[in-house]
Structure formats: C-alpha cells, structure tokens
Amino acid sequence: MPGEVIDRPNPQPLASQIPDSVLELSVKLEKVALSDADLKGLEEFRRASNYIAAAMIFLSDNALMERDLQFEDIKPRLLGHWGTCPGLTLVYAHLNYLTRKNDLDLIYVVGPGHGAPAILASLWLEGSLEKFYPQYSQTRQGLHNLITGFSTPRGFPSHINAETPGSIHEGGELGYALAVAFGAVMDKPDLVVACIVGDGEAESGPTATAWHAAKYIDPAESGAVIPIVHVNGFKISERTIYGCMDDKEMVSLFTGYGYQCRFVEDLEDIDNDLATSMQWALDEIRKIQKAARSGNPIMKPRWPVLIMRTPKGWSGPKKVDGEFVEGSFHAHQVPLMAAKTNKDQLADLQNWLLSYAPAKLFTSTGAPIDSIKSIIPAEDHKKLGQRVETYKNHEPLNVPDWQKFSVEKGGEESCMKAIGNLIDQAMVDNPKSLRLFSPDELVSNKLDAVFNHTGRDFQWDEFSNARGGRVIEILSEHTCQGFLQGYTLTGRTGIFPSYESFLGIIHTMMVQYSKFNKMARETSWRTDISSINYIETSTWTRQEHNGFSHQNPSFIGAVLNLKPDAARVYLPPDANTFLSTIAHCLRSKNYVNLMVGSKQPQPVFLSVEEADKHCQAGASVWKFASTDDGLDPDVVLVGIGSELTFEVIVAASILRRKCPSLRVRVVNVTDLMILESETLHPHSLSNAEFEALFTKDKPVHFNYHGYSNEIKGLLFGRPNLDRISIACYKEEGSTTTPFDMMLRNEVSRYHVMQQAIMGGAKGNSKVALEMTGLLGEVRHQVAKVQEYIMATGRDPDGTFDIPKFEGTVFEGGAVGKGKDGKSAEDEFFVN
C-alpha cells in the first residue's frame, strides 16, 4: 500500500491519557484585533504568494492566468512540494508584519527546505529577488521568468539553497534548521531568528536534540530564536508523530524542554491568532533579555515556542480522483500530476489558481498591489531576503602569532596542549567572533587550556550560567555542527574538535553545508565566510584503551570527496606544525578544514622555522632521518600522520644500524592535498615537484593514518604508480596496547622496515644480498614483541622513546631499559 487510506481530511489527533490539567501550562492570549488594512495586507500577501508558489510548480506559460489553461501551458516535468507552502507563506507574511511593526532585525530559517516555491514567491513580492537577480523584477516579465523557470535548468532549484536570498540553511536534508538558527543568534544581541520546523523534520534525531539549544543561549550577549513548529499532520505518505499528538502531549513535551507553548490553530481567524502569538513571543524574549542585561538573569527562563496547526496543502485542491488532497499526504508534492495530459486535472488546476484571484493581486505592469507592500518592511535592509547577516557579514579574526606558542625542537609535547594555548589567546583577542563547539571532550582531548580565560556557556548549569563562556559542550555532534554552521554563515568563526571516530556522525551535514557553500561561491552577491574548522584527535592510533569502536579515521575520506576548492586535509606531525596549521586555518576563508593530530605527547621534530617552511610546502624531505640528507635514495619512506610518521622515523633509525648499505629518504606529508594529481587541486604538486620529492622511479612506501583508498585516489593519474606501496589503518583493533595497534594494522616500524628492505633491494645489490636474512630477523622481532605484549599487557620499555640520529639534535635520544637491564634496542630493536 503506497500510503495510508484516510476517511477525512485533516484528521485530528486522538485524545491522550494525560490529565486535562496540563493544558494550564499552555499560553492563553486575548487575541489582538488587527486593523482591516493590516488584515487585508496579510491576506493578500498570502494569496499572492500561494498563487505564485503553485504556478511555479505547474506553469511554463500564461503566468498571470489571463486566458484558459492549455496543455501547452504545463511544464513537461512537474517538480516541487506544495504541501508545506501555505504554512511557509503564512509565517513569511507575519514575520514581515512583525518586523515592520517592531523595527526588528530578523532572519527566517526554514526547516522544510523543499518548500522553496513559497519562499521564492515571498522574496519576489518583497523585491529581494530583483535586487540580486534583475531578471526577476517586479514586472510581468519578471514574474513570468520566475514562474516558468522554477525547477528547470534555467531557474531556481526545487529546494532552498544558497542561491535563495536570506537563506543560511541547505534545506535538502531535514533536521538541522533549529541548531543553525541558534548558532546564528550567538553573539548577536539584537538579532531574532524565526525558525520554522516541519513536523516531519521534527522526527529527526538532530531536531530532537536541538530543542535543548536554548539552554546554551546567554540572553545578556546573544539574540533569540522564535521556534515555530508547523504541524500539518503528514509526511510523504503517512501521518507525522506530532500530527498524532494532542495538545496535552505537545504542551507536556515542550514544557519539559523548557519552553512556554502557544498553540496557533484558529483557522477561521488565523491572521489575528498568529499576529497575537508572534507579538507575545517577541515580548517574552524581550523580558528575558532585559532581565539578563540588567544584571538579574532569570535562571532557566521559559523561552516561547509556537505550535502552528494548519492543514497540509491548505487552499489547494480538496479532492483529486476521489482522494482527499488538502489535509492529507496527497498534498505533499504535486497534487495534480496529470495536469499536462488529463482534461479534468487541467480544469482543476485552473480553478485552483483562479481561486486566488491573481488579477486583483498584481497591477497592470505585474507588480504587487500596494496593500501587499504595506505589510513589508519599507527599508530594504530590514527585508527578510536582504538581511546583511545572511550574505555579507564576515568578521576576519585577529589570529595570534603561532610562533609565540611554539615548542623547542627535540622535546616532546601534545599537539592538542600546544594549540589549546593558541585557541585560548584567540578567544581573548576575538571575544565576540570566535567560539568553540565540542561534544563534551575538551578535557579528554587535552584542549583544556582553552579554559584559561573563559568557561562553558551552559546556561542551565548554576556553575556556568551568565558567565560569558565561549565554549559550548553538548554531547550531540549534530547540534555542534548546526551551531557551527549558523555561527559561520552569519559571519563569525568556529572550531569543532572531536574524537576522530565520532566526527563521521555529521558526515552528511558537512556535505550539505559544503553544497551550500559551493553554490554561494557561484553567486555574484554572497561574500566570503570563514572556513569551518574540524580538529580530529583521540585518533585510532591511541584509542587502544577504548577499543575497536573508537578506531575510525573515515571522516578524512568524507572531506576528500568534496570539491577541490573546498577540501583541505592536514595531518601535522608535531606540535609546531600543528600550531602553524591551525593559525592558517583560522585565517582561511570558504574551506572545510580538517586537522588530524595526536593528543598524546609526541616528539617535536621541527623548529619554528622548519615547521613554517614545511607547512608552506605541504611536505618535505626530513634530512635528519634520511641517508646523506636524502640524496640518491634506494627507497622513499613517507609518513602521514603523527604516530605513523614516528614509526617511519624509528624505522629509519634502526635501518641505519641494521642495514647501513640501504639509502633511505624520509618524507613527511602534512597537507594531504599536495598528492592529488597535477592540476586537480589548488595544492597539487606539479609532476616535476612530485618527482623531486618522491624521486622519478624509486620505490615509495606510504605509512598513512587513514584508509589506503584515499591515498590511491589522490595519487591516481601520477606517473609510475607501480612503485608505490601503502600501509594504513586496516580495521584491526581492540582494547590492547598502543604499539600493538601499530602491529595489528601493519604500520609499525617493523613493517616499514620490511617495505624499505624489499624496495631497496630492487636497485641495491648489497641490500638484495642481505634481504632474506634481514626480513627474517624483522619477522622474528615482530613475533617476540607480540609475545611480550600478550604476556605482560604492555609495550616494551623504550618503544616510544625519541629515536637517535648521530649529528642531529636527536643524537642523544634515550633508550629505555628493561627489568633485566637490557635496553629495548638490545632486546627488540624497537628503537
């Protein structure tokens, strides 16, 4: 059965078992009677917007219905979603009225992004489309262009996207609007965001958590959100959960979330009902903000929420082919799918469109009549489609000099501890334009230095309430991502650190955001925005204590799949390179930056000057670990990722002693994108540069933090790839020891040595002569170490000591001693 069979339109929810007394928690208001002129303006705005929205779905000609419809007037492909449009236009009309009446700074975030016809129609009525797209002028031709071009290659797409003025939300994937709206109002004390959430969208996990977002809004420093839950009762082919919940269930739910609940459901007097409710919501917001800004914040304020019940597809066809349409799921998309070939449906379409009386809504030149314009803000910058926050509001950061936080070469430092100090200073220097959004992991990730001068912004916690904290920790990656998007798209900068294994939770959100940003870059009127910045730590290499579930580097591949002008992936090998990288990322614009690094202490291999040059180039030969500074190598060993690079360095150190005839070049890659085939990415090395770094024909072994297909994809198109071998994470893990993780995934120093010996033997006869014996010795050491780990539950002493290289700053690297006095080098040659 394709959908439910309903016996009446707009069925109401069955009564719940909750006591009637809970209805006292809902807000009762004496409706304010609007003037006849205001009611006329609101009603005509809605009629005009609904007419245009419906016409956009169907008409390829006869845009103003000045003659009877013919089959030739109907588009060959009928695309669009009608069902949500009447609710969206109703809210749009009233937000205009509320803005004009109160001189508001207000933007409109639309959760049901498939309702693009409603939003585009309203933008045309207010003149915002014409501002950004002259072909959609408020003329007969402009209206014709809008209606006939919709959902065709020459016009707007079927969903709200970055081409839609006023939008800060990619509306194709449902669930994220509410978190985006709350992110947008942070540090914008005068801004109000009205966010409409469809009742289908409300079933998504991200939306369910985002209702808690109000608990992270400090009314002393930030604006406010007016959430509007649009309950039209149906999804694509069945009823919604909210549509089956009665008022008692709804008021209980939202009271528990921390809201005051006002129902808007008087269909016979909807304009007075909604206007009264919106003004009440704004007045409640002002009370909460006034108390906080006067130094007497309300603990756990009850923010307003509107529950708007209107029929799905309201004002559309009542029945088609014996099926209820208005007030049912049949209104969701295109109610009259056969209008191009069926005479009855064509007649139904004509009657539907004429029911809006378009001849009375537009002047002879095609412009909206004056009464419609009377409810729209008079000043362009107040119109919903022209709010500067949504398209031209970037605030560049004052980024601290990273070198002031650098670490001495030759020592050890956690990358996260190092950058924590820089982020702390950056938040001090940018007190209203930089925030950190994290899923409750900052201290675990050793980023707690960010709390040196600030705190958390959890307003329902008595220990962080009203203290101006710049850090938001909520154990919902979806909500963090929504906050980050809303904050970034309204001009500010955010940082999102996470356990590596769980950042993939927001994979599709990141992709949707990237699609929005791609289209934004292709408009002529959206200006630059800050990059979004992800920090992956607690990586699989050191999640041996948490086990297999915490070992997952797949988010790297998600970012690599983005367009080349957006994707940036960095794996800095030490604290100084990570400092340089994050400073660069915080200054960058329009990218998706992913930085991957260790939270555990790691050797600092590069000085400030070396780190700076290394990051500028994206990769370099590490001469201290190479034979004769890397000249004329037999084999090239490449480390990508801090722990994987450490294993390469240790392997090179051991090989100097065990196989002195082998000539090794060690390369570290910190910018993954330099590997991409020439011309395919802005950071790609030319083939000449690639060969200079990796040689033209010598074996190259990559020891890589992520999955092998990622390196294979990046290298595809480079010449002579049959000389390449790749070791990587192989989905092997458990609760074990750190070095056992290296062994299980065959990325340990021993495995690097094996590849180096086999590769070097191809061109070096001395190595070839000794290869069998050397490989046997290495395999024997692997077995010994594995036996030791199984027997003792720990790694051999000295396993992670800094390796020794004569004539360098690492000449005196320590070698740990075992219980019997033998060094780890003697017993296992681990170092």
Side-chain angles (χ1 to χ4, degrees):
M1 184 170 64
E4 289 184 314
V5 177
I6 61 173
D7 61 2
R8 61 193 182 281
N10 205 35
Q12 297 302 297
L14 298 177
S16 67
Q17 305 303 311
I18 298 174
D20 291 345
S21 59
V22 303
L23 289 174
E24 296 175 10
L25 295 170
S26 66
V27 174
K28 309 296 191 302
L29 299 172
E30 187 73 29
K31 279 191 290 188
V32 176
L34 303 184
S35 69
D36 290 344
D38 288 344
L39 286 171
K40 183 173 185 292
L42 288 165
E43 189 269 340
E44 288 177 340
F45 183 100
R46 291 194 288 115
R47 271 174 42 213
S49 189
N50 286 337
Y51 169 78
I52 296 170
M56 287 167 69
I57 295 172
F58 289 95
L59 299 185
S60 63
D61 200 2
N62 195 16
L64 283 165
M65 292 293 294
E66 294 173 305
R67 54 176 171 77
D68 288 344
L69 284 179
Q70 303 173 2
F71 289 138
E72 293 75 19
D73 295 327
I74 309 303
K75 292 177 179 177
R77 298 179 70 217
L78 299 180
L79 304 173
H81 294 74
W82 163 249
T84 191
C85 286
L88 298 184
T89 59
L90 172 64
V91 170
Y92 204 115
H94 279 268
L95 292 178
N96 273 327
Y97 181 74
L98 188 71
T99 298
R100 181 160 182 153
K101 182 179 176 184
N102 295 276
D103 193 30
L104 282 183
D105 295 335
L106 185 142
I107 60 179
Y108 186 17
V109 170
V110 179
H114 50 280
I119 303 305
L120 293 168
S122 300
L123 288 166
W124 184 86
L125 288 173
E126 72 178 26
S128 291
L129 280 192
E130 181 175 10
K131 174 181 173 63
F132 299 109
Y133 302 97
Q135 67 269 36
Y136 301 125
S137 58
Q138 289 186 321
T139 63
R140 294 168 63 88
Q141 186 61 48
L143 186 55
H144 171 89
N145 293 342
L146 176 63
I147 288 173
T148 63
F150 176 73
S151 276
T152 73
R154 70 177 187 278
F156 286 104
S158 64
H159 285 63
I160 295 168
N161 73 347
E163 297 167 291
T164 310
S167 65
I168 58 166
H169 174 55
E170 179 69 44
E173 188 170 287
L174 298 176
Y176 314 138
L178 196 58
V180 169
F182 278 103
V185 301
M186 291 177 184
D187 299 321
K188 295 281 186 186
D190 298 325
L191 184 63
V192 176
V193 175
C195 179
I196 187 164
V197 177
D199 53 350
E201 177 180 21
E203 297 179 8
S204 66
T207 297
T209 306
W211 288 113
H212 295 292
K215 300 176 175 69
Y216 295 86
I217 297 299
D218 183 347
E221 65 184 10
S222 293
V225 175
I226 301 177
I228 304 162
V229 185
H230 184 204
V231 184
N232 62 28
F234 289 90
K235 298 172 289 193
I236 291 178
S237 61
E238 70 165 336
R239 296 178 74 184
T240 61
I241 293 174
Y242 280 12
C244 293
M245 292 173 66
D246 67 6
D247 286 358
K248 292 183 291 184
E249 292 168 311
M250 293 291 278
V251 74
S252 299
L253 175 67
F254 283 96
T255 299
Y257 276 139
Y259 294 89
Q260 292 186 78
C261 191
R262 165 66 181 172
F263 293 97
V264 182
E265 50 192 350
D266 186 349
L267 300 184
E268 299 302 317
D269 192 19
I270 195 66
D271 286 313
N272 279 315
D273 194 2
L274 185 53
T276 300
S277 301
M278 281 192 174
Q279 188 61 53
W280 162 80
L282 181 62
D283 292 343
E284 289 300 304
I285 286 169
R286 294 296 188 240
K287 290 177 187 176
I288 294 168
Q289 291 175 337
K290 183 178 180 181
R293 294 170 192 181
S294 63
N296 298 296
I298 301 168
M299 190 65 187
K300 296 188 176 182
R302 296 182 64 208
W303 296 94
V305 62
L306 305 183
I307 312 296
M308 187 177 79
R309 297 188 187 272
T310 65
K312 195 173 187 78
W314 197 16
S315 77
K318 301 292 186 281
K319 267 190 173 184
V320 175
D321 295 334
E323 299 274 12
F324 293 109
V325 176
E326 182 188 82
S328 88
F329 62 85
H330 292 292
H332 183 77
Q333 291 177 306
V334 181
L336 299 164
M337 279 298 297
K340 190 167 182 65
T341 57
N342 182 291
K343 289 183 179 180
D344 291 337
Q345 289 201 16
L346 184 69
D348 287 344
L349 176 60
Q350 177 164 306
N351 291 334
W352 173 19
L353 294 177
L354 289 176
S355 71
Y356 298 112
K360 297 180 179 180
L361 300 174
F362 308 102
T363 67
S364 59
T365 63
I369 58 176
D370 288 342
S371 55
I372 291 175
K373 295 179 181 180
S374 71
I375 66 155
I376 298 171
E379 299 171 293
D380 284 348
H381 72 276
K382 292 286 187 178
K383 294 176 180 177
L384 299 183
Q386 298 181 47
R387 291 297 315 174
V388 69
E389 295 91 346
T390 64
Y391 74 99
K392 190 174 65 173
N393 202 44
H394 182 230
E395 302 175 38
L397 285 185
N398 177 15
V399 180
D401 179 0
W402 69 266
Q403 297 185 11
K404 294 179 179 178
F405 305 91
S406 62
V407 184
E408 185 177 356
K409 177 180 177 179
E412 289 189 339
E413 180 61 288
S414 159
C415 293
M416 296 303 109
K417 281 187 173 293
I419 67 168
N421 291 312
L422 184 146
I423 295 171
D424 169 58
Q425 186 60 49
M427 289 196 290
V428 171
D429 295 343
N430 303 272
K432 297 298 179 185
S433 57
L434 177 64
R435 280 186 180 265
L436 195 149
F437 307 99
S438 173
D440 188 36
E441 295 157 353
L442 283 175
V443 175
S444 172
N445 285 332
K446 301 188 186 299
L447 286 165
D448 41 307
V450 301
F451 294 118
N452 288 346
H453 295 92
T454 189
R456 295 175 176 86
D457 195 19
F458 183 22
Q459 294 304 303
W460 277 39
D461 181 352
E462 64 176 302
F463 302 108
S464 58
N465 170 266
R467 289 168 174 81
R470 308 301 301 159
V471 174
I472 289 180
E473 286 193 295
I474 178 173
L475 232 172
S476 165
E477 286 82 359
H478 291 116
T479 306
C480 289
Q481 176 71 15
F483 287 161
L484 176 67
Q485 291 180 194
Y487 198 67
T488 302
L489 287 169
T490 49
R492 286 74 58 74
T493 306
I495 304 171
F496 187 162
S498 173
Y499 270 45
E500 176 183 65
S501 55
F502 305 128
L503 200 50
I505 291 170
I506 53 90
H507 176 171
T508 57
M509 286 186 76
M510 179 273 295
V511 171
Q512 292 290 321
Y513 172 85
S514 300
K515 291 176 182 291
F516 186 96
N517 202 24
K518 173 191 180 292
M519 299 309 300
R521 304 281 65 78
E522 295 177 11
T523 68
S524 61
W525 45 275
R526 285 191 185 265
T527 59
D528 291 334
I529 56 174
S530 292
S531 301
I532 55 172
N533 303 293
Y534 299 106
I535 298 172
E536 274 191 356
T537 188
S538 294
T539 56
W540 68 265
T541 54
R542 296 304 298 270
Q543 280 297 300
E544 77 292 337
H545 59 293
N546 277 323
F548 202 25
S549 65
H550 284 57
Q551 298 156 4
N552 175 8
S554 63
F555 195 69
I556 294 172
V559 177
L560 290 179
N561 285 332
L562 303 179
K563 297 288 286 186
D565 57 0
R568 300 291 186 271
V569 180
Y570 303 98
L571 294 99
D574 68 4
N576 285 338
T577 50
F578 215 119
L579 283 163
S580 174
T581 299
I582 194 169
H584 164 76
C585 290
L586 291 176
R587 289 191 299 268
S588 68
K589 294 179 286 189
N590 306 320
Y591 301 145
V592 174
N593 292 320
L594 173 60
M595 296 162 271
V596 184
S598 177
K599 70 181 182 182
Q600 302 299 341
Q602 294 286 311
V604 181
F605 290 114
L606 301 183
S607 67
V608 168
E609 294 76 15
E610 291 167 340
D612 198 32
K613 291 179 181 178
H614 183 62
C615 291
Q616 289 175 19
S620 66
V621 176
W622 282 15
K623 295 179 180 180
F624 72 87
S626 304
T627 308
D628 291 339
D629 291 342
L631 290 173
D632 301 321
D634 298 320
V635 65
V636 180
L637 303 179
V638 186
I640 308 179
S642 58
E643 290 89 352
L644 282 292
T645 297
F646 181 80
E647 293 301 308
V648 169
I649 299 298
V650 176
S653 175
I654 299 172
L655 285 167
R656 284 195 182 188
R657 303 190 301 275
K658 296 293 181 178
C659 189
S661 58
L662 177 64
R663 298 180 63 81
V664 171
R665 177 184 291 180
V666 172
V667 173
N668 174 262
V669 174
T670 185
D671 179 355
L672 204 53
M673 315 315 296
I674 64 137
L675 300 177
E676 186 110 54
S677 186
E678 187 175 37
T679 75
L680 294 185
H681 191 280
H683 291 189
S684 298
L685 296 180
S686 67
N687 283 336
E689 291 174 295
F690 187 87
E691 291 177 358
L693 192 61
F694 299 107
T695 76
K696 188 173 184 177
D697 55 5
K698 301 298 183 183
V700 181
H701 179 65
F702 285 89
N703 213 38
Y704 172 54
H705 179 88
Y707 293 100
S708 62
N709 283 342
E710 294 156 5
I711 297 295
K712 291 176 182 177
L714 289 166
L715 293 175
F716 183 80
R718 294 285 188 185
N720 200 13
L721 290 182
D722 57 351
R723 65 194 177 109
I724 303 292
S725 61
I726 303 169
C728 62
Y729 178 63
K730 296 174 59 177
E731 288 291 342
E732 294 293 339
S734 180
T735 301
T736 181
T737 70
F739 191 61
D740 192 41
M741 285 298 298
M742 302 291 105
L743 293 169
R744 290 177 183 232
N745 289 281
E746 299 182 356
V747 293
S748 76
R749 61 206 62 180
Y750 302 128
H751 296 93
V752 175
M753 289 169 64
Q754 287 178 308
Q755 293 295 330
I757 292 165
M758 290 188 294
K762 294 177 181 179
N764 186 321
S765 58
K766 290 184 178 181
V767 176
L769 188 64
E770 302 294 331
M771 181 175 71
T772 300
L774 288 168
L775 291 178
E777 188 177 3
V778 171
R779 286 192 286 267
H780 177 65
Q781 294 301 328
V782 170
K784 283 181 64 178
V785 172
Q786 288 175 327
E787 289 173 5
Y788 180 88
I789 291 171
M790 289 296 291
T792 67
R794 64 187 183 90
D795 293 325
D797 292 337
T799 298
F800 296 107
D801 288 348
I802 299 175
K804 297 184 295 184
F805 293 95
E806 293 183 6
T808 75
V809 72
F810 303 107
E811 183 173 16
V815 177
K817 295 289 183 180
K819 293 181 179 179
D820 58 1
K822 289 185 178 181
S823 72
E825 178 183 339
D826 296 332
E827 192 170 359
F828 302 110
F829 62 86
V830 295
N831 212 316

